[in-house]
Amino acid sequence: MTDWIRYTLIVPAAYRDIAWNLANGIATPGSAEGMFTVGLSASGAAPATHFISSGQIWPEFAALLGDAQATYDAAGGQVPLAQIQALYANSVIHGPTREVVQDGQTVTVETDPHAVIAELGLKFVQEAV
Amino acid sequence: MSPLMRPLMRDPFEASLDFNPRQLFTQSEPGAHFEVVTPAQNVFAQTMYQDSAGTTLVTAVEQPVGLWLDTKVGTTRGAELWSDGAVTLQGESTRVSAGVYRIYSSAGAFSSVRIAGGATVGKTYEITFTIDSIAVAGNGITIDWATGQRFNTTGQKRCIVVASTTDLPIRRDSAGVAVDYQISNVSFRELPGNHITQGTTPSRPTDATDGTYYFQRFDGIDDNLISASGGGGTAGFLFCAAVTVSGGSGAARTLWSDAGTNTGYRVRINASNQLELAAGNGTAFTSVATVATLPVTETHVATAWDDGTNLNVQIDNGAIASVARPAVAAGTSGFTMGRDNGAATSFFNGRMYSDTYRQSDCGDTKRAMLKRWHGQKAGLSL
């Protein structure tokens, strides 16, 4: 486990269960259990409209991201392909770097998940404890 | 008094040049101490693991930390609990010779070698063994308590698990799948402490360095570490850590918490960016916050304590803010670092260097030395 890859994954709330089930079905047991538990919304108030998971992930999982057919195969066909395609079409997925436009030029920058959240107009859902 | 007697009579913490937070736990005081060390100190690999099961050591920066060992009593393991004479063979497993076992299941029926009643539920154990040979790999062999780790290659193996039963087993992994493994050199030893883990891979903080000092980097998104034991104190409290705030200004960011619903203790950077300690009496939280703040990009030592009379907070050696303590109701068993306890909120965004927590204050003199020690871990001179 030395080839960790940093990813930022943001999924709409409607697709949260699909994403969670896929991650748990593919990953080592237990290692995806807490994914997509952090809620986001435009106002920062509940209910969450999106869920985020960000951090270093195993390279085998990273290789699947965005590839619906490969994800479907890795999950053993337990989630319909159409649902996986819809999940990817509606999710925001960034690897360690991403392209942004700065001063009219497209440049590659290190992915800052906080910047991605801000660009989407979202905030963390914070509930008083 | 003879001058020769003076060193023996002196408080060992007074003017000590080699203070270590472990000295706060010599009487088995409840708490925990987590230390980020440099590779040169050669302890690096012994206290941090990339996975929560403790199978893979952290060997370099930029690796996730899924298990960080509490080293308040060092890394000393307990007595050997595995004894060949006490081994129970289950299913089709056999003893090949003294200390050498065959975990065998022809059709995937339950099969194990174990020490019945050797463990205490809730305690942490380090298990090591060697897989000598594999005739039928199947889905591998595992330890009953843990989920996630699966051993299916030859060589020496290690994992760290919290006991959920009193047995000490090594067994075939999956029902209905045949296995045939020969193992030897089995060791089960307690690993005392309140170790912190993160099972979810992307939620693990990252071991990192600025080139001089080492720290855990919490991303402020979902990184956190959890101990299943410790916490739950009511009579006093102490937390001390050096932190660098990287973001989240204007939002609450929890550093340490065993808080339940209006119970327990919680140390956080509040929405006004102040260091805050809260303690609950079962009905409400009483809190106190520093006037000074912890701004983004700055590194400071955060200290919070309940001395039995007041709740107190202090940044570095600045002004102490205090408020009368409530009759604290016990929080949860176990504690969380880097987010609210039991909730996916208030994630800390920044660097956490070494940190110490104890379920009792240690007094002004020792606390001053503790702050100084933590400051040094982040390059601060207090």
Side-chain angles (χ1 to χ4, degrees), chain A residues 1 4 6 31 34 54 56 114, chain B residues 50 62 200-202 219 222:
Chain A
M1 285 193 285
W4 297 97
R6 183 168 292 277
S31 63
S54 177
Q56 289 168 311
H114 296 277
Chain B
Q50 296 180 50
E62 299 305 325
T200 300
T201 307
D219 67 1
D222 52 9

Side-chain angles (χ1 to χ4, degrees), chain A residues 16-126:
Chain A
R16 187 260 176 193
D17 288 350
I18 295 171
W20 189 88
N21 287 331
L22 279 170
N24 274 275
I26 295 169
T28 304
S31 63
E33 213 159 80
M35 290 182 71
F36 307 112
T37 55
V38 177
L40 305 169
S41 72
S43 66
T49 59
H50 294 73
F51 288 89
I52 185 170
S53 187
S54 177
Q56 289 168 311
I57 63 174
W58 47 103
E60 297 83 357
F61 186 33
L64 301 174
L65 292 173
D67 186 334
Q69 184 64 54
T71 305
Y72 173 81
D73 294 341
Q78 294 183 36
V79 176
L81 180 60
Q83 286 190 13
I84 300 174
Q85 290 169 331
L87 166 69
Y88 283 144
N90 288 280
S91 300
V92 174
I93 301 172
H94 289 299
T97 60
R98 64 188 181 117
E99 291 186 341
V100 298
V101 177
Q102 292 179 348
D103 299 327
Q105 301 288 318
T106 300
V107 296
T108 301
V109 298
E110 190 173 329
T111 301
D112 174 0
H114 296 277
V116 175
I117 292 168
E119 288 168 15
L120 293 171
L122 298 171
K123 297 175 181 174
F124 289 100
V125 172
Q126 291 283 358

Side-chain angles (χ1 to χ4, degrees), chain B residues 82-236:
Chain B
W82 189 269
S83 167
D84 184 64
V87 166
T88 299
L89 302 168
Q90 291 190 314
E92 298 174 88
S93 292
T94 59
R95 178 184 284 100
V96 178
S97 61
V100 182
Y101 313 96
R102 183 186 185 197
I103 301 176
Y104 173 62
S105 181
S106 56
F110 192 84
S111 182
S112 75
V113 293
R114 65 180 61 214
I115 302 288
T120 301
V121 173
K123 287 192 173 183
T124 303
Y125 294 86
E126 181 183 65
I127 297 99
T128 60
F129 58 96
T130 301
I131 298 179
D132 301 320
S133 61
I134 304 171
V136 179
N139 282 339
I141 57 176
T142 188
I143 311 299
D144 261 358
W145 303 321
T147 58
Q149 94 286 16
R150 177 181 292 166
F151 304 102
N152 54 14
T153 58
T154 57
Q156 187 169 17
K157 309 298 174 187
R158 168 172 50 189
C159 67
I160 294 169
V161 296
V162 177
S164 59
T165 73
T166 58
D167 281 6
L168 302 171
I170 302 175
R171 65 171 177 83
R172 68 96 176 85
D173 186 59
S174 301
V177 180
V179 296
D180 191 355
Y181 285 70
Q182 180 173 302
I183 66 169
S184 63
N185 299 317
V186 183
S187 173
F188 276 64
R189 302 174 76 179
E190 187 190 346
L191 195 52
N194 299 312
H195 315 296
I196 47 178
T197 65
Q198 177 49 257
T200 300
T201 307
S203 299
R204 294 170 187 162
T206 306
D207 186 60
T209 182
D210 60 7
T212 303
Y213 301 99
Y214 288 77
F215 48 84
Q216 308 293 348
R217 183 171 55 219
F218 289 72
D219 67 1
I221 302 287
D222 52 9
D223 289 355
N224 66 99
L225 290 163
I226 299 169
S227 173
S229 58
T234 60

